[in-house]
Amino acid sequence: MSNWTLYEGDCLEVMRELPDNSVDAIVTDPPYGLSREPDIEEVLRHWLAGDDYKHRGGGFMGKEWDSFVPGPAVWREVCRVVKPGGHILCFAGTRTVDLMGISLRLGGFEIRDCLQWLYGSG
């Protein structure tokens, strides 16, 4: 049997307790940020200055935690715990996949491939 560990808790709090280069892969479905469109120039100014961007507006069903994509600071922490050569599979919404990609890159990741999940409803 393979050895694996399951952690329960807030992902940022749990990751802060993990040593550098200790995780083989990350699979995540973070907030898509499908609420009110932000001022993209303001977002990029904050991110390029190393600051967090605080989105003004509620997220899906009014949930503030879901109002915008995670910023580069989150991905820097994720990148810290992933082993060299490790991968992240990160879901994103079609309207904000560009911002998610920029945030991941600024957080230290290299975009290799993009998989698409096409589905219909109705």
Side-chain angles (χ1 to χ4, degrees):
M1 286 193 85
S2 298
N3 291 329
W4 56 274
T5 305
L6 177 65
Y7 297 92
E8 182 180 356
D10 179 287
C11 67
L12 290 175
E13 291 173 15
V14 171
M15 276 192 298
R16 287 184 189 112
E17 302 298 320
L18 297 176
D20 294 358
N21 307 319
S22 61
V23 176
D24 293 302
I26 301 277
V27 177
T28 183
D29 192 11
Y32 291 1
L34 300 179
S35 59
R36 186 173 51 84
E37 182 76 18
D39 177 344
I40 300 304
E41 290 180 8
E42 180 184 359
V43 172
L44 294 177
R45 270 194 305 275
H46 280 278
W47 284 0
L48 292 173
D51 300 329
D52 283 332
Y53 169 76
K54 301 294 183 201
H55 188 259
R56 292 174 295 279
F60 181 70
M61 296 180 67
K63 304 295 184 189
E64 187 176 319
W65 63 266
D66 192 38
S67 69
F68 198 59
V69 299
V74 170
W75 302 121
R76 279 192 289 276
E77 184 64 14
V78 174
C79 196
R80 180 190 68 78
V81 301
V82 174
K83 293 177 182 177
H87 289 83
I88 182 171
L89 176 60
C90 179
F91 290 83
T94 55
R95 293 183 296 200
T96 55
V97 67
D98 57 336
L99 294 170
M100 189 75 78
I102 291 169
S103 186
L104 283 159
R105 287 177 187 270
L106 291 172
F109 283 96
E110 176 183 323
I111 307 297
R112 291 284 181 97
D113 292 303
C114 182
L115 305 174
Q116 295 181 0
W117 174 24
L118 302 175
Y119 64 93
S121 61

